[in-house]
Amino acid sequence: MNTSDALAPSIDGGAETRAGATADTATARPRLTVHLWHGYGVNTWRAAQRAGGAPNPDHTPYSYHLFADGGFDVRFSEDRKEGPVGRFLRRAVNRVVGCDILHALHNRHRILGADVVWTHSEREAAAVALLLALWSVLTLGQGRAPQLVTRIVWLLDDWGAMGWRRRALYRRLLGRATFAMISHREADVRALLPEATAQRVPWGIDLDAFLGVRPDGAGAVHDPVRVLSVGNDVHRDWDALFGAFAGDRRYALRVLTPRRLPVPDGADNVELRKARGAEDVKAGYAWADVVVLPLRHNLHISGITVLMEAAAAGVPIVATRQPDLDEYLGDGEVLYVADNDPATLRAAVDALAADPERRRNMAAAAQRRLVDGNHRRETYVRHCAAVCREALERATRPEGRQQATRPEGRQQDGQGETARRRDDA
């Protein structure tokens, strides 16, 4: 029995018990496969959890097992064990083709046997769509194909740098996909893929795991001031962070990242750590006086998870203002700076360190915003499940695809269609 099958009773059975469903009704559930990138297969995730090294406290990656509570029979992709040669081959094919088709081929039975396939980014979606296209050719167009629903992450940032062949491939593969996005950029997606369906799904974290990490709230700062930065995203501006704090003994800078960052010579106040699991991340927030999130320009809300985790933990935050971040936490909840000039970052940290009342008020307001907005993983996955159900319903309508509606549970901050933000930079 493979890992996905072994997981099925714990995922589906729990949801069925809560709903009072019988085994017979479970078989009528739509089948949903969560296809994640290589390294986040359910077998790899379970092994990391047993070793205490899962990157966050979720039961499955991003708590996608909660699709079962939305009425789906859930399966997860698995990672094929590979040696150096296999890893090189898979990555080489990925670079040439533009998506990890070998990983999708390994999970073809889970993909082809599903009613709907969910992916966490459009890169995995492209691999699934390519597999489905190959399947259509092999079956002369008679093969049954699942609906493809994906989060959009990198597409808007990557589009300008793509060559015409890669753009044509994505238009061909994802032109009719359903996109769920955590920002108000549906119109931007439709401008690139006119026949695609796009709708907003508010992001959420394992909120309760981080609440109470700092029971003292934003307490007295230490000497030196403890500055924490967390992340792995390509849009982190590590140069600005080190320029602001490295080598300055008024600050103790801790960076939690799996990246091997070049620390400036003589910067003995900088500590690089690789978080082995969620507990290491929470310990970092408990240690910090201020969390600093230095960001380069991006359109996928880079840093939103760290922003929300730190806010839930009760740590004051300094972040570079980027499009759409303030849809979740605004001024008065985060101290936003206009750019990544090191002196600007340093001055923002100094301003918070010198003002205990401001620290407390800001941390409390940010935490309250997340709780009041119910930015939990359960809420996020419930919205994702609604998008998947709508995709299945559209597939059965004679008129075909129609304009999608926004899922229930919009952010409770008064921001609607008329308040959509567009980046002019």
Side-chain angles (χ1 to χ4, degrees):
M1 178 181 293
N2 62 40
T3 309
S4 292
D5 293 335
L7 261 177
S10 64
I11 296 174
D12 297 334
E16 291 156 14
T17 300
R18 287 190 296 275
T22 65
D24 290 337
T25 59
T27 61
R29 288 177 160 213
R31 292 164 294 184
L32 183 145
T33 291
V34 178
H35 182 76
L36 303 177
W37 59 95
H38 193 280
Y40 263 53
V42 71
N43 52 337
T44 304
W45 186 269
R46 288 300 193 207
Q49 281 189 321
R50 288 193 294 270
N56 60 56
D58 297 338
H59 180 62
T60 55
Y62 304 100
S63 289
Y64 282 140
H65 63 283
L66 296 175
F67 272 119
D69 290 346
F72 290 96
D73 178 16
V74 186
R75 294 293 184 271
F76 284 80
S77 59
E78 289 191 356
D79 298 331
R80 180 192 291 272
K81 292 182 179 180
E82 56 185 15
V85 174
R87 186 180 304 111
F88 173 82
L89 177 63
R90 182 178 56 78
R91 291 177 175 176
V93 172
N94 188 352
R95 285 193 294 270
V96 172
V97 176
C99 57
D100 197 346
I101 184 61
L102 295 185
H103 181 49
L105 282 168
H106 172 61
N107 287 280
R108 62 191 179 278
H109 297 302
R110 298 175 185 86
I111 293 170
L112 296 173
D115 296 300
V116 58
V117 176
W118 170 271
T119 67
H120 193 70
S121 88
E122 65 280 352
R123 294 177 181 176
E124 293 77 57
V128 171
L130 180 56
L131 174 68
L132 297 179
L134 295 173
W135 176 244
S136 178
V137 171
L138 290 174
T139 60
L140 301 178
Q142 302 302 309
R144 174 185 167 280
Q147 297 300 303
L148 177 58
V149 184
T150 180
R151 269 195 66 212
I152 185 168
V153 180
W154 309 104
L155 190 66
L156 297 177
D157 288 305
D158 289 351
W159 193 262
M162 286 184 184
W164 68 268
R165 291 184 180 86
R166 184 67 58 86
R167 290 185 184 182
L169 175 68
Y170 270 68
R171 282 197 176 105
R172 176 78 175 181
L173 295 178
L174 301 180
R176 293 180 178 273
T178 296
F179 291 99
M181 35 200 325
I182 64 172
S183 66
H184 285 299
R185 293 192 174 270
E186 300 96 324
D188 295 340
V189 173
R190 296 186 190 112
L192 303 180
L193 304 170
E195 295 188 64
T197 299
Q199 61 193 90
R200 185 174 181 273
V201 171
W203 185 238
I205 63 170
D206 191 350
L207 192 58
D208 295 326
F210 292 95
L211 292 174
V213 165
R214 286 284 298 267
D216 60 337
V221 297
H222 296 81
D223 185 13
V225 179
R226 295 178 176 182
V227 177
L228 176 71
S229 195
V230 184
N232 184 40
D233 193 289
V234 296
H235 289 102
R236 295 293 198 277
D237 193 339
W238 302 119
D239 292 338
L241 182 75
F242 291 147
F245 304 108
D248 190 331
R249 297 196 177 187
R250 293 176 299 169
Y251 312 96
L253 175 60
R254 179 181 295 181
V255 182
L256 296 182
T257 180
R259 291 181 177 270
R260 296 177 179 177
L261 302 177
V263 178
D265 293 336
D268 56 0
N269 68 324
V270 176
E271 177 187 15
L272 296 184
R273 286 191 181 186
K274 182 178 180 180
R276 294 190 65 253
E279 293 305 315
D280 287 351
V281 177
K282 289 193 285 185
Y285 293 134
W287 171 87
D289 294 319
V290 181
V291 167
V292 175
L293 194 58
L295 299 168
R296 295 189 172 96
H297 176 72
N298 70 90
L299 298 176
H300 69 273
I301 320 190
S302 172
I304 184 59
T305 299
V306 171
L307 195 79
M308 296 173 83
E309 288 176 352
V315 189
I317 306 163
V318 172
T320 316
R321 190 181 298 279
Q322 292 297 337
D324 307 317
L325 270 178
D326 56 6
E327 289 183 10
Y328 290 90
L329 292 171
D331 295 308
E333 296 154 342
V334 173
L335 178 52
Y336 287 108
V337 296
D339 56 53
N340 285 335
D341 175 66
T344 302
L345 289 173
R346 189 166 51 247
V349 169
D350 289 345
L352 288 181
D355 192 338
E357 183 176 3
R358 186 181 185 186
R359 289 198 312 276
R360 285 192 297 269
N361 291 342
M362 179 177 290
Q367 194 175 69
R368 184 167 57 250
R369 173 79 172 271
L370 295 183
V371 173
D372 291 348
N374 197 23
H375 286 289
R376 290 177 165 82
R377 282 281 199 244
E378 297 90 336
T379 308
Y380 161 70
V381 179
R382 188 180 77 240
H383 291 157
C384 295
V387 175
C388 291
R389 286 195 302 272
E390 289 180 11
L392 287 173
E393 292 169 1
R394 283 196 304 274
T396 64
R397 294 174 188 164
E399 62 271 24
R401 300 175 62 85
Q402 295 183 348
Q403 179 69 37
T405 57
R406 186 180 305 278
E408 63 175 352
R410 290 171 19 178
Q411 277 190 260
Q412 300 173 15
D413 57 6
Q415 295 177 341
E417 291 291 322
T418 59
R420 290 185 181 180
R421 297 182 65 255
R422 287 290 174 263
D423 174 41
D424 297 324

